[in-house]
């Protein structure tokens, strides 16, 4: 009898040890994403093998975000930190320093061809250290607004996860391939939606220059009173210049962005007589109950709003 009890206890210890080892082995990667678009990509690639914390949340503006102590704690505990790069996250280096994180910092725009341009307005992007007084160009960091670039982000995420968790690599690669197929279909939908819009009506007004890559890929023209960052207000002269541009270009639609105060766009709409066509998602996804809670939903919303405002459908 005693031998039986000892045998049962021994088996219990072995079982618990095995379960403990299995549990430790299956522990998800601790991933920090700098903002919601990247977090969505990471979920699609990582599945249940990753535990994701997002720094700049839904409807949040990464250009002006101020990190919290909780953000530093999350960074300190992370295995991988996924960031956009191209100076999109102005807070990033301060947060890395404050957290003393040992995590791998993975820049997802690696492999993207950046778009450089001269801001239209005098005060635009002064805070980026690349003001227009000397005719300098700035680099647009919003590369994710091109679906072709989104596929590059996904590829980079899969590679980063494989490097950190080789046992899960097949799963990451499979998930990335499946999601990339969805992005292929999305790209076809966006191009098909824009195709019937007359060339003369493809001028759109937004709050800040977040859609340069979308413009480059899909043939729309975006005008905005603010530059690539929202951390500086446009001057009265800038607004007046934009109003004149809108009249000259005969812009077909004007939109607020989910991350910005609508006041400026409403002023421009009032002065130009163009009705506000709705809300576009630029630098952040919406809450789960919103129209842009995933990257694919965001793109569907944006093209639906643009096409509807221009063509009335």
């Amino acid at each position: 009898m005693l031998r039986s009890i000892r045998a049962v206890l021994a088996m219990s210890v072995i079982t618990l040890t095995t379960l403990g080892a299995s549990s430790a082995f299956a522990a998800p990667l601790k991933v920090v994403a700098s903002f919601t678009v990247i977090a969505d990509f990471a979920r699609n690639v990582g599945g249940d093998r990753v535990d994701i914390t997002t720094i700049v949340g839904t409807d949040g503006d990464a250009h002006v975000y101020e990190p919290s102590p909780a953000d530093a704690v999350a960074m300190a505990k992370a295995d991988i930190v996924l960031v956009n790069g191209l100076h999109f996250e102005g807070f990033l280096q301060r947060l890395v320093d404050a957290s003393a994180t040992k995590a791998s910092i993975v820049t997802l725009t690696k492999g993207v061809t950046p778009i450089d341009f001269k801001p239209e307005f005098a005060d635009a992007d002064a805070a980026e250290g690349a003001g227009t007084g000397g005719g300098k160009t700035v680099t647009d960091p919003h590369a994710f607004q091109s679906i072709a670039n989104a596929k590059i982000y996904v590829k980079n995420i899969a590679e980063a996860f494989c490097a950190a968790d080789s046992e899960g690599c097949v799963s990451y690669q499979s998930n990335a391939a499946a999601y990339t197929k969805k992005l292929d279909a999305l790209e076809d939908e966006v191009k098909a939606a824009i195709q019937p819009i007359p060339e003369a009506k493809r001028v759109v007004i937004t709050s800040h220059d977040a859609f340069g890559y979308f413009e480059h890929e899909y043939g729309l023209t975006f005008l905005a009173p603010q530059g690539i960052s929202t951390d500086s207000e446009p001057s009265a002269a800038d607004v007046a210049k934009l109003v004149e541009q809108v009249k000259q270009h005969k812009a077909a639609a004007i939109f607020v962005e989910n991350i910005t105060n609508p006041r400026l766009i409403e002023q421009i709409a009032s002065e130009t007589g163009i009705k506000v066509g709705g809300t576009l998602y630029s630098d952040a996804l919406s809450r789960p109950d919103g129209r842009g809670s995933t990257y694919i939903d965001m793109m569907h919303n944006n093209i639906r709003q643009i096409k509807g405002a221009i063509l009335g459908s």
Side-chain angles (χ1 to χ4, degrees):
M1 183 71 173
L2 184 58
R3 287 181 179 177
S4 298
I5 292 173
R6 286 174 176 170
V8 170
L9 289 173
M11 287 301 297
S12 298
V13 169
I14 291 171
T15 301
L16 288 171
T17 302
T18 303
L19 287 173
S22 175
S23 176
F25 173 78
L29 283 176
K30 290 184 174 62
V31 178
V32 169
S34 60
F35 68 112
T36 51
V37 170
I38 287 177
D40 185 51
F41 292 157
R43 287 189 190 96
N44 278 281
V45 175
D48 58 7
R49 295 187 72 95
V50 298
D51 180 13
I52 301 172
T53 299
T54 310
I55 300 296
V56 185
T58 55
D59 298 316
D61 185 352
H63 295 298
V64 297
Y65 184 78
E66 288 297 327
S68 69
D71 296 331
V73 171
M75 288 278 280
K77 294 179 178 179
D79 298 311
I80 297 176
V81 177
L82 303 175
V83 303
N84 187 81
L86 301 179
H87 305 291
F88 181 77
E89 303 97 343
F91 61 84
L92 180 62
Q93 193 57 53
R94 285 182 287 130
L95 186 54
V96 169
D97 293 343
S99 67
T101 185
K102 304 299 183 184
S104 298
I105 311 296
V106 181
T107 301
L108 299 182
T109 48
K110 178 184 177 182
V112 165
T113 302
I115 292 176
D116 295 327
F117 69 102
K118 291 183 180 180
E120 292 279 349
F121 304 104
D123 293 338
D125 305 306
E128 293 287 327
T132 59
K136 295 181 181 178
T137 60
V138 293
T139 298
D140 185 347
H142 304 87
F144 52 88
Q145 285 292 346
S146 154
I147 300 169
N149 286 340
K151 298 173 196 175
I152 295 175
Y153 283 52
V154 169
K155 177 178 177 289
N156 288 336
I157 291 170
E159 289 178 354
F161 287 175
C162 281
D165 173 22
S166 60
E167 295 293 331
C169 190
V170 171
S171 174
Y172 300 138
Q173 291 173 336
S174 177
N175 291 343
Y179 185 59
T180 297
K181 286 184 179 180
K182 293 181 180 179
L183 294 178
D184 288 338
L186 175 66
E187 192 163 35
D188 290 341
E189 291 173 30
V190 170
K191 289 177 179 178
I194 292 175
Q195 194 275 331
I197 301 175
E199 294 283 344
K201 291 189 174 183
R202 295 186 181 187
V203 180
V204 177
I205 311 301
T206 58
S207 300
H208 85 295
D209 281 318
F211 296 94
Y213 291 87
F214 194 102
E215 173 178 317
H216 182 266
E217 290 288 338
Y218 309 118
L220 294 173
T221 296
F222 287 84
L223 302 175
Q226 288 178 291
I228 59 171
S229 176
T230 58
D231 59 3
S232 60
E233 286 289 327
S235 67
D238 287 342
V239 175
K241 182 178 178 181
L242 177 61
V243 168
E244 186 59 32
Q245 267 194 321
V246 170
K247 292 176 179 177
Q248 290 176 357
H249 285 280
K250 297 181 180 179
I254 187 167
F255 296 93
V256 297
E257 295 174 33
N258 66 316
I259 67 164
T260 59
N261 189 316
R263 176 185 52 81
L264 182 59
I265 287 298
E266 289 168 352
Q267 175 190 342
I268 294 169
S270 175
E271 293 186 26
T272 59
I274 301 174
K275 182 180 177 181
V276 176
T279 300
L280 301 183
Y281 295 98
S282 53
D283 295 9
L285 302 180
S286 71
R287 295 186 301 271
D289 59 348
R291 294 182 177 179
S293 60
T294 69
Y295 179 78
I296 290 175
D297 287 344
M298 174 185 87
M299 284 295 186
H300 279 149
N301 171 83
N302 288 357
I303 195 58
R304 183 171 58 248
Q305 295 279 3
I306 290 169
K307 185 178 179 181
I310 293 175
L311 299 181
S313 59

